[in-house]
Amino acid sequence: MPISPAPVLAVLVGIVHSGVYVLVRGHAGGRLPLILLAAILGAWAGDALGGRMGIDLLVIGDFRLVAASVMAWMGIGIVAVIAQLGPTRGRI
């Protein structure tokens, strides 16, 4: 049974973009697993949406890299915004 390249490439794209986010920001705190999950799911969804919308700017096989990257960053952004809006843990 052959495996589609989309899940494998979505994981790789998610890891790369999460790493870039942490490199630019300097830290991720305890949110790194959530950022990584959001980037992977965003990349996978971005590939699917890019296929439906016909966005074929940069393609690796059947995987639409530009659409996947945009959606991965949207997932990272959503996690970052929710983390800033949520309660903070301070010392008592």
Side-chain angles (χ1 to χ4, degrees):
M1 177 177 201
I3 186 169
S4 169
V8 176
L9 289 173
V11 169
L12 293 175
V13 168
I15 289 171
V16 167
H17 288 299
S18 297
V20 170
Y21 173 77
V22 172
L23 182 69
V24 169
R25 175 126 188 194
H27 64 86
R31 297 183 306 265
L32 185 60
L34 291 174
I35 290 171
L36 188 59
L37 181 66
I40 291 170
L41 292 176
W44 200 1
D47 173 52
L49 286 173
R52 295 273 185 180
M53 296 174 64
I55 300 172
D56 294 332
L57 297 175
L58 182 60
V59 179
I60 299 175
D62 289 336
F63 190 77
R64 288 139 194 97
L65 189 60
V66 172
S69 296
V70 168
M71 287 299 289
W73 279 105
M74 286 181 68
I76 291 170
I78 289 170
V79 169
V81 167
I82 290 174
Q84 291 298 318
L85 294 176
T88 59
R89 288 187 237 163
R91 293 186 180 203
I92 299 176

